[in-house]
Amino acid sequence: MSRLTDLISQVRAKNPQLGADLESEFRALSSRLAFGLNFERHRPEAVELPQCAIRKGDKVRILPERGSTAKGDPRLWVVRDIKKVNRVQMARLELLGHDEPETRDVAVDDLVVVAEFRDHIYPGLVSTGKVERGGDKPCHTVINGENYHVLKALTYTHRGKVDAIYIDPPYNTGAKDWKYNNDYVERDDLYRHSKWLAMMERRLKVAQELLNPADSVLIITIDEKEYLNLGLLLKQTFPDARIQMVSSIINAKGIIRDNEFSRTNEFIFFAFFGKHRITPEQKQVGNKEVRWASLRRSDVESARGTPKGGPEQFYPIYVDEQTGKIESIGTPLKPEEEVSSVPDIPGCITVLPIRDKGDVLEMNWGLTILTLKERLERGFVKAVFSGKNKNKVTIYYLTSGQIDEVEKGHIQVEGFDDSGAAKVVYVDGKRSNPTTQWEKESHNAQSHGTDILRALIPAREFPFPKSLYAVEDALKIAVGEKREAVILDFFAGSGTTSHAVMRLNHQDRGRRQCISVTNNEVAADEQATLRKQGLRPGDPEWEQWGICDYITKPRVEAAITGQTPGGEPIKGDYRFTDEFPMAEGFEENAEFFTLTYETPVSVNHNLAFERIAPLLWLRAGSAGRRINTLPAQGWEVVDTYGLLTNLDHTTAFCRAVEKACGLRVAYIVTNDDRRFQAVARRLPDSVEPVRLYESYLSNFQFANGE
């Protein structure tokens, strides 16, 4: 190898970049395993960006004529100049990678920007809509963009913060289900498997940066075409992970294939990191309901005004007279205040802890207001009407011991009633870890994947969506006991993962959030039709049929609102665990974004801050208000983060941060590390200081395909 090393050194002296490339390939070849998975690391994908504006210095391809279905010119050109000729924007192009110089003048509308390997990209996000029904809950996000580029952007916002990744990548069946370097990989491609592995490896390596190394899980579904290769790839990419594979029946009747066995199952890989533990499942659920305790104290020694009763536990609870929902909790009455002084709320029944059986005795509630609110948030407090005319209200709650039984799995939450109270039952049988063979009716991909999708977005087809309940069961293993988990799906497809996360939140009042990433690829058959109509990628009439705009975003919105894109109530009920009509929707929030590609000039001179603002918001938890413009006063503080752009206003900024409740991050813009550290020391310990360089290039520059 010394001779080869010498030759590489000679090349580096004449052509540093070529020498570096050769050395990189040499290291890859020399590190190959004698036993294990060896495959070609193909040149990373050169991605076409049809919605990106053409600018001077861009790499571009020339598109075929409108109406043509022929492949376009694969060669790359660089835009040297743009001029308007006879009211038409014309670009002067120079051919790249050829010894013979060639130039050409082409209309800008006939070009598409290309992001090539090692090109630097400056990502931003543009909001394209939102759905808000979840109050102060964090937002689920759907990002339309090339997933490798989005993953690189997420290394800024979510490095080491993701609790679970669930992906359903292309199965590489040869049926035009994915592209490599802008060409569909078909069955007769001799490099089909190595291209797939190269594509997956690059994305898994970035995903590794996003997962919490101390406690997280990666879940990948696949069929028999690539499961062997994927298993070896996972072992090589994540040598410290605990990896297992599950076989899951998705269609007991079998999916017919030409001259092959009918497929009934698929495989699910679980890679566990750090201390992650599998959430046990119940083998059998009993029907014995839990007996709730009365919130009003019963012992006379705890009556109002007694030392044992305490001064803070005589307060009004307001219950909606129609729904039975606890709407509000009043302030405690002082010992000298009369009950008659308690204000009423229109439409609500005022409930006080007063015993009126034979005698009237003012008691106390069994919980302080703070503890009561915490249990109410989880559904562990409820109001029950009684009496002849249902004019009497009793407040019940789950005791600390019962809540402990919930945490241990001995009591199971099966959903919530209309008032928000949990439906809880004692569980019969033992809790045990799931097996490696899943055969559940709820995992049928036709009944609970395709049919559910058709109910949500009628007349819109998507090939082979996952069963909603199968994804839900997989995520229960990953984040069933993490009510504030972050889940990522960067092959989001029809949006099943986001839908399943909402289901989990509904079951336990969780605040989990899902980040869904997909491109806006139009199906291959549909593409031919659109091209014959004279349309191209980037045209609004083309983009409206893309998977993100046509399937993913409408499905997420429909799941939240309970209405189809046409405004009709969704027909059907959710089944199995937590049964209720789909038309009720979910109390969740979601926002939709499109990935943008900014120029170095606009980013460096703060001209692109509006596009960068969502990245700061995402890093701070995707909740509450967002700072969309640079603050004129030099600083601003919103729900979950603050931004200091002028250090002369540090004192005012720090005071605002100290007063804020729920603040997570403070962004400090400065090139001076000493000044940054000085500001950071003045912030509360609960607030993470994050330095933003004045040159925004340093903050938001990523290499494509490294």
Side-chain angles (χ1 to χ4, degrees), residues 214-225:
D215 183 4
S216 61
V217 59
L218 167 67
I219 308 169
I220 309 179
T221 60
I222 202 68
D223 71 1
E224 77 277 9
K225 296 290 193 294

Side-chain angles (χ1 to χ4, degrees), residues 304-411:
R304 183 188 182 195
T306 62
K308 187 178 179 182
E312 301 290 325
Q313 288 176 231
F314 189 86
Y315 49 82
I317 298 175
Y318 298 95
V319 179
D320 189 291
E321 60 187 13
Q322 298 295 326
T323 65
K325 183 179 181 181
I326 298 175
E327 293 289 352
S328 179
I329 300 170
T331 57
L333 271 69
K334 296 178 181 178
E336 66 272 12
E337 290 183 289
E338 297 290 335
V339 170
S340 59
S341 67
V342 175
D344 291 326
I345 296 179
C348 288
I349 299 172
T350 305
V351 187
L352 288 160
I354 298 176
R355 194 177 75 182
D356 58 0
K357 289 185 178 180
D359 60 344
V360 177
L361 184 62
E362 295 178 1
M363 302 297 295
N364 278 297
W365 296 120
L367 298 173
T368 64
I369 290 178
L370 181 61
T371 304
L372 179 63
K373 287 182 176 179
E374 291 174 350
R375 297 196 186 182
L376 185 62
E377 174 67 23
R378 300 184 66 181
F380 295 160
V381 183
K382 66 179 179 179
V384 177
F385 291 107
S386 60
K388 291 182 179 180
N389 300 314
K390 294 187 176 181
N391 57 354
K392 184 180 179 180
V393 181
T394 304
I395 308 297
Y396 293 95
Y397 77 114
L398 294 185
T399 65
S400 297
Q402 290 171 321
I403 295 173
D404 187 52
E405 293 294 287
V406 172
E407 303 294 342
K408 293 178 179 178
H410 302 151
I411 293 177

Side-chain angles (χ1 to χ4, degrees), residues 166-171 219-222 266 464-466 489 491:
Y166 181 105
I167 56 174
D168 182 34
Y171 284 8
I219 308 169
I220 309 179
T221 60
I222 202 68
E266 65 183 12
F464 307 115
K466 289 284 180 274
D489 181 354
F491 287 100

Side-chain angles (χ1 to χ4, degrees), residues 445-579:
Q446 176 65 44
S447 305
H448 311 302
T450 301
D451 291 352
I452 285 180
L453 188 63
R454 286 173 178 169
L456 293 163
I457 47 175
R460 303 192 184 193
E461 297 294 327
F462 180 84
F464 307 115
K466 289 284 180 274
S467 162
L468 173 64
Y469 309 112
V471 178
E472 179 184 318
D473 285 347
L475 290 177
K476 279 182 180 177
I477 294 170
V479 295
E481 297 179 349
K482 296 181 179 180
R483 296 173 66 244
E484 296 193 4
V486 176
I487 299 96
L488 169 65
D489 181 354
F490 53 89
F491 287 100
S494 67
T496 308
T497 303
S498 182
H499 197 166
V501 172
M502 296 181 206
R503 283 261 305 158
L504 290 180
N505 284 346
H506 190 271
Q507 291 163 30
D508 62 4
R509 299 292 184 86
R511 295 172 62 88
R512 301 173 187 84
Q513 56 176 296
C514 182
I515 303 170
S516 304
V517 181
T518 185
N519 59 23
N520 208 39
E521 184 73 25
V522 175
D525 294 342
E526 187 68 28
Q527 285 191 32
T529 302
L530 295 174
R531 291 188 185 278
K532 289 177 181 178
Q533 296 173 3
L535 299 173
R536 292 169 171 166
D539 295 337
E541 299 87 351
W542 178 290
E543 296 299 323
Q544 68 179 345
W545 299 101
I547 181 177
C548 189
D549 287 344
Y550 191 61
I551 300 293
T552 319
K553 292 192 296 187
R555 190 243 186 89
V556 172
E557 183 170 0
I560 293 174
T561 63
Q563 296 182 339
T564 69
E568 297 294 323
I570 298 170
K571 298 178 181 178
D573 298 330
Y574 291 112
R575 296 181 56 193
F576 311 106
T577 303
D578 195 21
E579 300 183 2

Side-chain angles (χ1 to χ4, degrees), residues 397-460:
Y397 77 114
L398 294 185
T399 65
S400 297
Q402 290 171 321
I403 295 173
D404 187 52
E405 293 294 287
V406 172
E407 303 294 342
K408 293 178 179 178
H410 302 151
I411 293 177
Q412 181 163 311
V413 179
E414 293 190 319
F416 299 86
D417 63 22
D418 293 339
S419 72
K423 300 175 182 177
V424 289
V425 295
Y426 286 105
V427 173
D428 292 334
K430 296 181 179 179
R431 283 162 59 91
S432 60
N433 287 347
T435 68
T436 57
Q437 182 67 48
W438 294 1
E439 189 171 0
K440 300 181 181 180
E441 193 280 326
S442 60
H443 291 188
N444 185 287
Q446 176 65 44
S447 305
H448 311 302
T450 301
D451 291 352
I452 285 180
L453 188 63
R454 286 173 178 169
L456 293 163
I457 47 175
R460 303 192 184 193

